[in-house]
Amino acid sequence: MSKELIPKTELDDLVKNLGTTLTDKCNEIGGGIVFVCIMKGGFMFFSDLVKSIKYPIEVDFIRCSSYDGQEQKALKLHSDVEVSIEDKTVFIVDDILDSGKTIKMLKNHFLKYGAKQVETVSAVYKENVGFPNHFYIYKQPEGVNPWYIGYGMDGPKGYSRNLNTIHTL
């Protein structure tokens, strides 16, 4: 049985506020900016987030996986971005930053292919190792480690991505 962590109206406000923060960051950076959604988990958060950014951005999607149910596996890249990222700032958007392996690999991947800089964004922020300037809407308190579902995040059997807010198991 899952428990709602963030009510929908509060989640909407958090995403809108983050969108304002990221709009300011985009204006500060200037130039070409690409927001890249990590599929599948990031799709709901990404969709809501990019609608709240008031700056001309490009969007694209990358598909990779590092989990099988609740078990972390080797990272696999299934499909890459299609837009050019050369000399642009890339914002990687995911559902959750937990171990940081996926985002760290993608950050290096985008820099290797010519990104000017790479920023990281997630709905849930579980750990802060190596990501001091990470953007997020919810930071997990220390000492707890639930499994998050909903708002794009799936449960142990691949279900529950369609819940419209974040829940814990």
Side-chain angles (χ1 to χ4, degrees), residues 67-87:
Y67 278 90
D68 182 12
Q70 291 180 317
E71 187 177 337
Q72 194 163 27
K73 300 281 189 178
L75 185 64
K76 293 180 185 177
L77 182 62
H78 303 288
S79 65
D80 208 342
V81 294
E82 295 176 1
V83 301
S84 170
I85 59 167
E86 193 169 343
D87 294 323

Side-chain angles (χ1 to χ4, degrees), residues 20-137:
T20 299
T21 298
L22 293 175
T23 296
D24 293 344
K25 184 70 174 176
C26 290
N27 282 312
E28 175 188 317
I29 295 167
I33 296 181
V34 181
F35 275 70
V36 176
C37 176
I38 301 176
M39 297 297 283
K40 299 178 189 172
F43 80 99
M44 288 180 90
F45 172 55
F46 183 82
S47 175
D48 290 344
L49 182 64
V50 297
K51 288 184 275 188
S52 69
I53 295 170
K54 307 303 180 213
Y55 185 91
I57 61 171
E58 291 179 270
V59 299
D60 208 339
F61 304 87
I62 193 164
R63 188 150 181 254
C64 57
S65 60
S66 61
Y67 278 90
D68 182 12
Q70 291 180 317
E71 187 177 337
Q72 194 163 27
K73 300 281 189 178
L75 185 64
K76 293 180 185 177
L77 182 62
H78 303 288
S79 65
D80 208 342
V81 294
E82 295 176 1
V83 301
S84 170
I85 59 167
E86 193 169 343
D87 294 323
K88 297 176 185 173
T89 299
V90 175
F91 283 80
I92 302 170
V93 182
D94 202 2
D95 55 354
I96 187 166
L97 174 60
D98 48 12
S99 71
K101 290 179 183 178
T102 301
I103 288 185
K104 191 175 292 183
M105 187 276 294
L106 291 175
K107 186 173 184 176
N108 291 333
H109 175 75
F110 292 138
L111 289 170
K112 176 182 169 185
Y113 286 99
K116 181 170 60 175
Q117 73 184 67
V118 178
E119 302 288 339
T120 59
V121 185
S122 67
V124 176
Y125 186 37
K126 284 181 78 172
E127 298 177 15
N128 59 6
V129 179
F131 295 92
N133 300 315
H134 184 73
F135 296 96
Y136 57 89
I137 59 170

Side-chain angles (χ1 to χ4, degrees), residues 132-161:
N133 300 315
H134 184 73
F135 296 96
Y136 57 89
I137 59 170
Y138 175 79
K139 185 174 182 180
Q140 174 179 287
E142 288 188 34
V144 298
N145 193 23
W147 188 264
Y148 297 92
I149 62 168
Y151 205 51
M153 295 173 270
D154 63 337
K157 295 183 180 179
Y159 299 113
S160 302
R161 288 188 194 273

Side-chain angles (χ1 to χ4, degrees), residues 1-5 147-150 160 163 166-169:
M1 189 72 171
S2 69
K3 177 182 174 191
E4 184 179 74
L5 179 67
W147 188 264
Y148 297 92
I149 62 168
S160 302
L163 296 172
I166 300 170
H167 293 242
T168 58
L169 290 180

